[in-house]
Every structure is written in structure tokens, then in C-alpha cells.
Amino acid sequence: MLAACFRLWRNWRRLAAWAITTLAILTVLSAPTHAAGSLKDYLANTKPGELIQGGDRYGEMEGVPALAPVYSGNRKIGYAYLNTDFSSAVGYSGKPIRILVGIDPAGIIRGIKLVEHKEPIVLIGIPQAKVVAALNLLIGKDLSRVAAGAEQLPQVDIVSGATVTVLVMSDSVVRSAVKLIRSNRLGATGSSTSPVAPGLIKKPDLSKSEIRDWASLLGDGSIRSLRLSVGEVSDAFAQAGHPEASVKPETANPGDRFIDLYVAAVSVPTIGRSLLGDAAYERLQRKLKPGQQAIVVAGEGAYSFKGSGYVRGGIFDRIELLQDGQGVRFRDRNHTRLGDLAAKGAPSLREIALFSVPEEFSLDLTRPWELQLLAQRSFGARDKAVLPFNVGYTLPDRYLTIEEPPVQEAVKSVSEAAAPAPASAEEPGATFPEQEPLWMKIWRMDTVSLAITVAALLVLTAIFFFQNWLVRRPRLFGWVRRGYLLFTLVWLGWYANAQLSVVNVLTFFNSLISGFSWEFFLSAPLIFILWGAVAAGLLFWGRGPFCGWLCPFGALQELSNNLAQWLKVPQITLPFGLHERLWPIKYIIFLGLFGLSLYSVGMAETYAEVEPFKTAIILKFAREWPFVIFALALLVAGLFIERFYCRYLCPLGAALAIPGRIRMFEWLKRYPECGSPCQRCAKECPVQAIHPEGQINVNECIYCMHCQELYHDDHRCPHMIQVRLKREKFEALSSPSSRGKGPAKPVIAFKGKPIEQSSPVLSSTT
């Protein structure tokens, strides 16, 4: 009766846990259904004096997008508007950051109020007041001069840990104000933008398509460049009032190259075919929407324009595309990594990226635009200074045509007649000769790393298939396992940065919903190969091959615990009942992250910092101290409880355990006596994955094969000890010496001394 009650209570606990998790996910998924607020809604909770000093009332809404006049008595002193009505302001959360802005008729920002956001870094980590204080530096800035092109866009101080959020917010305020000023809706601004000549229309000439070399493209401005030395950047930081950053150079030699940055508009046929190659350019054109543009950004030097902490699904926070006071930052979905450039004479560059310009940003190639590089330097524990450097780009006239409206259709007809006819599927040889896809170039560049990884996976496969032979030699197997874990940690993790993450799982599922592309995943060869191996391993062995052998952080935990045991650090064994009830924590964490990813991949990636992989493996502990302390705390816990993080907290392990239940084979052998009465395997399992009743929980097993060592060990396994004793007795009875001399004679002791009996009667009796 008591046992039945206990089982019922345990089932109810599980049912309640699943119900709570499901409710939490449904709550998250229901959040996007709330309607976004309008300017009128936000102004209802904002006093006019908060946006413009002296304001006491709002006037009637004007125009589209809406402006709200701000009055002091009967005198109009400015306007209030919502930034998202004029400019994009999407942060890491994937949701708009809404800010009310007060601006006077002269184009000077008078007030700013953050009214709505979903940025996780501000919600859970960085005080909102700190972010708002950085944003308030824009108050008093005269943006009419920016709108007129007389000044560069103003920059705010970066808040460490919230870099992207602050940049998105400040850029949105500035660009929305510039757009408003240029629309002449303020009435008294000093904007002096140049009018466009009436009756003339400039367009990129799509009929011209030729292949040119690197030198000629660079010579006529088809490719623009920015070259900076480390010393020049240090001097710029000092002159900008950041002496702390000026003494933190990337390299010790001021003459070293900080960055050589190259930019080109590859949606222009000649430039695109020259830099990408015919086949890659054709693929690009098929992906681009009508009117959408694409650029190539390439760099070489000590500074990365992508950023060392870049995570898939995030924002490229070091570069920004600017035109007419508006700007946009690229996201991972806009990015394709390139292995090299096709132009003859092109240098070998460390970073080459193809960016498709987001559809919401209308880049006009016929007008000047800029790519802004943000040079970031950290000093102190959490402080960071940022300095902008701009690369101006104007498309050379040779790629442009000038049309007059009266003859627009005629010119269009002439252009279409001059353009080569599209290739027909029925005409053999009409298509461009197919070149290797871009991802193949990337794979070719990583040939050595790929070969090492594939060889390591083949070795691991051999270890699993010949495990019975290996585990019968415990000393050899111990060295093989420790050596493989050391390889996983040092080469696969710290050198190749091939640490799989739950973020990969979330990104994969998100891509199935939003539009799957193999090229996206093939652009990271080592990660792709490892995931392929893990997927195959799930069918054969469950999650064990990855968790026990291929996870760099798991290897770090196990090796550090081995060292702790060697140093006689006491080990803690949790009662199995408590241990079993801690298992679901990692599944709850994974389900929470999965639910968040359906709402916002960016938010889910932020909360995925529960994984210490980025801190301990990718960045090698070179990170802000809270992340380092968290990772070290998990490792310290692992010194006393082996693989503490793997057992109870790892969402990736939970994600792999779920499909791992479909494995097709049982490779771990057991005896009938296992669990009853023998408990040796259960007590010695490093992660307590063996139930006291004897069965192995494959959801928790890391496939370390320690139980298989015991299974074949005839000096430690009770079952094998009995088998060995019977075998020895049989061998003793059936040995040639015993058969020649007859059965062993009994030995009788007299006064402590053995007396051999040779009597035939005694011998026959024996």
C-alpha cells in the first residue's frame, strides 16, 4: 500500500512539473499577440515636460507618421514622436525598442523616454537606468547639422554587456530625428540638403557585365578600403577622451595593422561577377528580392569586423550600413561567410563576408553611402570605449545610366534588348558553367581541420565497435580515454572552437519554421560534421558519444575531477533518491529555452548563457567576471561531484537525451545479478546513471564504459569472480600433470606439519 502511494505521489509530481513547464511555454508563446502601442497610447502616460522642458500640453496629432506638437501655453515649442514610426529599432530580442523623443523646431533633441522594450540583457542583467543614462547623452545634440551632412552621427557611451542594445537605441533616435528633419515637417530647421535635379533618374546599369581584376576594381573605386594601424587607433582613442582605451592596444607594436577593411557593392553585375564568380553571383541574384542590394565586407588585421564574441542569430555590432542619416545593422540571417574572392590578384583575407541588405532598409546605390566600423576596446572589468571609423562608398559612373522620364520606357526597352537573353532550361550549354558553391570553398580552406576531425571520429567509432577488446585491458583503456578527452578539450574545443551548443538546436528548429537553408549550416564545417556524427550516434548509442567523448566542457570537467581525485579531494555521492530528482532540472531548462526561441531566438540565446561553453571554451575565460565566476563555480562543483553540470544543468544534454531514446541497439551488457544482489556498478558509475535495481538509464549515461570494465573484470565483478574460480578449479582438475598423477592426494596435518598420504585407499577415496 505504501509503495503504491509513493508511486502515485511520484507520478503526480512529474505530471505537475510537466504542467507547469507547458503553462510557462504557452505564456511565452502568447506574448507576441499583444498589439503594439501607438504614439497616442504612450503619450497618455508621459507628461509633456518629460520630453521638452516647459511643455504643459500636447496638440492634435499631425501627419503620417504622427507627430504630436508640444505647447507651453499657446506657444509651440517642439514635437514629440515615436522612434519606431520613423526608424527601425530591433535589438537582440527581435522586438522593437520604443522610445519617445522630444525635438524642437531647430532639430535639437530635448528629451528621451524609453517606453517599451523586450531586451533580455536590460531585463535581467544591466540596470535600465544605466542604459537610459547613456542614451541621455543625445539630449542637446543639434541634428540639423547631421541632416545637412555637415557632421557625423553622434555616438553615445557604450554600456558594457549591453553594447548592441545601446547602439540600436541611440542609432534609432538619431536616424529618426534626421529623417524627420529632412522631411521639413519641423518647419524651422537649418537643413540644407541638395535637391535632386528634376527630370533625371540615375539607375545602376544592369546590362554591363564583365570580369575585372582586383587592381582595376580597387583603382576606380569599385572597391573602397580603410587602412588603420594599431598606433593610429590608439591616438584616436586618446584624442576622443578615452586615455584608458588608448593604452590597451591589440598588439604591442603600434605599426602593426589594426585592420585593412574592404567594401564593395556586389549586386552590381560587373563587381559581383568579378568578386564572387559567375555561379555565386547567379545564386545571389536568385536569393535577392527585387530592389534588394548586397555588399561584400572583407578584412585583415588584428581587429575583427565581425567580433570575437559573435554568436549565430545575433547582431554584427561592429559594422553598420549608413545612408541619408539612416542606418541598419546586419543579422546572421543576412550573412554568408566566403572563403576567398574570385577576382584575379585578390589578396588572401582573414575575414570575408557577403551581406544581403535587409529589405526594410532601402539602399540606393546611385547615391553615396557609408560602412561604419566601430573600434571597441575594453578596459577594466566591465568598461568599454567605442570609436567610429567610416568607409565612404560612391558607385563609379561607369556602372550608372541616366534616364529621362519621357523616354523612360524606350530606354528600358533598349536596355532589355542589349541585355543577354536569359538562359533556357531546354537549351544545353545556355547556363553559366557551374562553379563550386561557396560552402565548398570554405570546406576546402579547412581541409586540415576537417581531416583531423574526421580521423578523430573514426577513432571514436573504432573505440565503440571494439569496446569489448579495450575494456578487457583497463590500463590501456584508461590511457585511451584520457588521451581522447585531452584531444577533445585542447584541439576540438580551445583550438578549433568546435563546441556544440543548445543554441545550435534552437537555431535549427527556428530555421525549419522561418526558411531552411543547407548553406547556412554548411558554412561551419566542423560544427556540421560533429552534428552529423552526433545524429548518427543517437541511433546507435544515444547521447553518450557526444556527452562522454566529444564535448569539450564535459572533457574539462572530467579531467579536472580526475586531477582532484589524484590529489585526494573528497568526493560527494548524493543519495540516489535526491540525485534522481535533480535530473529533471536540465530538461526544464531546455524546454524553457525552446519555448523562448519560438518567441525570440535572440532572447533564447541570451538565456542560453546558462551554458558555460562560450566562457570556458570559446573565449577561454577572457570575459566579464560574472560569466567567469559562473563557469568556475560549475567547475569547482565538479571537483567534488563528477560532471556536476552534465548531470543536472546541461540543456544540450537534455535535448540530445530526448531523441536518444530511439537508439536501435543495446551495447552495454548486464548480468542477471546486476542490482540484485550486486551493487558495484551502481556505486562506481561516475555519473550515477545506474539504478540501484541494476538497469542503466541511457538518458543519463555518458558512455564512459566503466561498467563494461567491471563487466569483464574477473577480480572486481562478483559474477566474473565466480566464473574465474570455477574456471581455475576446472583447469586445475583437468591439467595434464593432474591427469598423469591421478587426483590430488589429501594432506593430513599432524602437530601443525603436513603428512602426505600415499595409501591407495585414501587416494581412491579422494
Side-chain angles (χ1 to χ4, degrees), residues 366-442:
T366 66
R367 304 182 63 206
W369 53 273
E370 295 177 309
L371 185 78
Q372 185 176 82
L373 172 72
L374 294 181
Q376 302 177 4
R377 280 187 181 176
S378 299
F379 56 91
R382 296 179 58 83
D383 296 318
K384 183 185 292 183
V386 178
L387 206 59
F389 295 91
N390 288 18
V391 186
Y393 192 98
T394 301
L395 191 65
D397 290 339
R398 65 183 297 164
Y399 303 116
L400 299 174
T401 61
I402 299 178
E403 300 178 357
E404 296 183 5
V407 292
Q408 183 174 2
E409 294 301 322
V411 173
K412 180 179 179 181
S413 301
V414 172
S415 299
E416 291 177 350
S424 172
E426 287 79 10
E427 297 178 11
T431 59
F432 287 99
E434 184 66 21
Q435 299 179 3
E436 62 178 353
L438 296 176
W439 64 266
M440 286 189 176
K441 294 182 180 180
I442 297 171

Side-chain angles (χ1 to χ4, degrees), residues 696-731:
I696 298 174
N697 187 338
V698 293
N699 293 336
E700 307 301 323
C701 176
I702 62 170
Y703 223 91
C704 66
M705 300 191 212
H706 181 70
C707 60
Q708 299 306 288
E709 283 187 49
L710 296 176
Y711 181 91
H712 293 284
D713 195 322
D714 56 10
H715 287 81
R716 290 187 290 172
C717 174
H719 175 89
M720 289 303 297
I721 290 174
Q722 294 297 321
V723 172
R724 176 177 58 82
L725 291 177
K726 291 178 182 179
R727 183 180 67 249
E728 289 177 349
K729 183 176 181 180
F730 177 79
E731 290 175 350

Side-chain angles (χ1 to χ4, degrees), residues 573-627:
T573 301
L574 296 181
F576 191 83
L578 174 61
H579 168 68
E580 187 179 32
R581 282 158 180 77
L582 293 177
W583 282 343
I585 295 177
K586 59 178 175 285
Y587 295 95
I588 294 173
I589 293 174
F590 169 68
L591 290 174
L593 291 174
F594 183 76
L596 280 175
S597 72
L598 299 178
Y599 171 79
S600 166
V601 176
M603 183 179 290
E605 289 175 354
T606 301
Y607 282 98
E609 288 289 355
V610 70
E611 289 182 326
F613 305 159
K614 184 177 179 182
T615 300
I617 304 300
I618 305 300
L619 300 180
K620 307 171 188 65
F621 297 100
R623 208 177 181 194
E624 291 84 355
W625 63 266
F627 296 99

Side-chain angles (χ1 to χ4, degrees), residues 452 456 459-460 463 477-497 499 546-563 617 643:
I452 294 174
V459 169
L460 183 59
I463 290 173
F477 178 71
W479 282 108
V480 169
R481 176 160 173 78
R482 282 189 290 271
Y484 202 97
L485 291 178
L486 192 63
F487 163 82
T488 297
L489 173 62
V490 176
W491 192 87
L492 205 58
W494 285 338
Y495 177 79
N497 289 340
Q499 168 73 68
F546 172 74
C547 295
W549 295 81
L550 292 172
C551 177
F553 188 76
L556 177 60
Q557 287 184 97
E558 183 164 332
L559 293 173
S560 59
N561 181 267
N562 289 347
L563 180 61
I617 304 300
R643 285 186 178 252

Side-chain angles (χ1 to χ4, degrees), residues 204-515:
D205 188 354
L206 302 181
S207 65
K208 293 181 179 179
S209 181
E210 56 181 320
I211 304 298
R212 303 177 60 200
D213 60 21
W214 176 266
S216 64
L217 291 171
L218 196 61
D220 71 355
S222 301
I223 301 173
R224 299 298 173 99
S225 64
L226 172 70
R227 299 170 183 267
L228 295 169
S229 68
V230 173
E232 289 172 339
V233 175
S234 297
D235 292 341
F237 273 111
Q239 294 171 9
H242 298 293
E244 304 91 347
S246 67
V247 295
K248 295 287 185 179
E250 288 69 23
T251 63
N253 184 4
D256 286 348
R257 177 168 44 192
F258 177 79
I259 194 170
D260 285 353
L261 189 68
Y262 300 95
V263 183
V266 290
S267 46
V268 176
T270 295
I271 302 175
R273 293 189 188 280
S274 299
L275 293 180
L276 304 179
D278 286 334
Y281 175 77
E282 291 300 321
R283 284 195 299 271
L284 173 65
Q285 288 301 313
R286 288 194 293 267
K287 289 174 60 177
L288 294 178
K289 303 292 178 60
Q292 189 179 13
Q293 309 298 339
I295 67 171
V296 156
V297 183
E300 179 70 32
Y303 190 73
S304 165
F305 68 81
K306 292 183 179 181
S308 59
Y310 167 63
V311 178
R312 284 196 182 281
I315 298 176
F316 289 85
D317 62 343
R318 295 188 176 186
I319 56 173
E320 183 176 13
L321 185 62
L322 310 174
Q323 188 175 56
D324 295 336
Q326 301 295 303
V328 66
R329 282 192 168 82
F330 299 105
R331 289 179 171 269
D332 187 78
R333 58 176 174 266
N334 312 125
H335 166 254
T336 302
R337 178 187 168 194
L338 302 182
D340 53 18
L341 295 172
K344 182 180 179 181
S348 177
L349 301 171
R350 183 165 62 97
E351 290 181 325
I352 308 174
L354 172 63
F355 292 107
S356 56
V357 179
E359 293 179 69
E360 64 270 16
F361 186 86
S362 180
L363 177 63
D364 185 355
L365 292 181
T366 66
R367 304 182 63 206
W369 53 273
E370 295 177 309
L371 185 78
Q372 185 176 82
L373 172 72
L374 294 181
Q376 302 177 4
R377 280 187 181 176
S378 299
F379 56 91
R382 296 179 58 83
D383 296 318
K384 183 185 292 183
V386 178
L387 206 59
F389 295 91
N390 288 18
V391 186
Y393 192 98
T394 301
L395 191 65
D397 290 339
R398 65 183 297 164
Y399 303 116
L400 299 174
T401 61
I402 299 178
E403 300 178 357
E404 296 183 5
V407 292
Q408 183 174 2
E409 294 301 322
V411 173
K412 180 179 179 181
S413 301
V414 172
S415 299
E416 291 177 350
S424 172
E426 287 79 10
E427 297 178 11
T431 59
F432 287 99
E434 184 66 21
Q435 299 179 3
E436 62 178 353
L438 296 176
W439 64 266
M440 286 189 176
K441 294 182 180 180
I442 297 171
W443 283 55
R444 191 179 68 248
M445 291 180 62
D446 291 339
T447 302
V448 175
S449 297
L450 289 170
I452 294 174
T453 302
V454 171
L457 292 174
L458 291 175
V459 169
L460 183 59
T461 304
I463 290 173
F464 283 3
F465 275 103
F466 298 100
Q467 65 182 43
N468 291 336
W469 183 87
L470 267 175
V471 295
R472 284 190 174 97
R473 297 158 178 81
R475 185 178 295 274
L476 172 63
F477 178 71
W479 282 108
V480 169
R481 176 160 173 78
R482 282 189 290 271
Y484 202 97
L485 291 178
L486 192 63
F487 163 82
T488 297
L489 173 62
V490 176
W491 192 87
L492 205 58
W494 285 338
Y495 177 79
N497 289 340
Q499 168 73 68
L500 303 188
S501 167
V502 71
V503 173
N504 304 136
V505 179
L506 303 180
T507 304
F508 177 78
F509 278 101
N510 185 263
S511 70
L512 294 178
I513 298 172
S514 60

Side-chain angles (χ1 to χ4, degrees), residues 502 543 551 553-554 557 586 589 608-613 630-631 634-635 637-638 641-653:
V502 71
R543 75 180 181 111
C551 177
F553 188 76
Q557 287 184 97
K586 59 178 175 285
I589 293 174
E609 288 289 355
V610 70
E611 289 182 326
F613 305 159
F630 175 67
L634 294 176
L635 290 174
I641 302 176
E642 186 169 349
R643 285 186 178 252
F644 172 83
Y645 177 78
C646 299
R647 296 193 197 191
Y648 308 124
L649 300 177
C650 182
L652 179 58

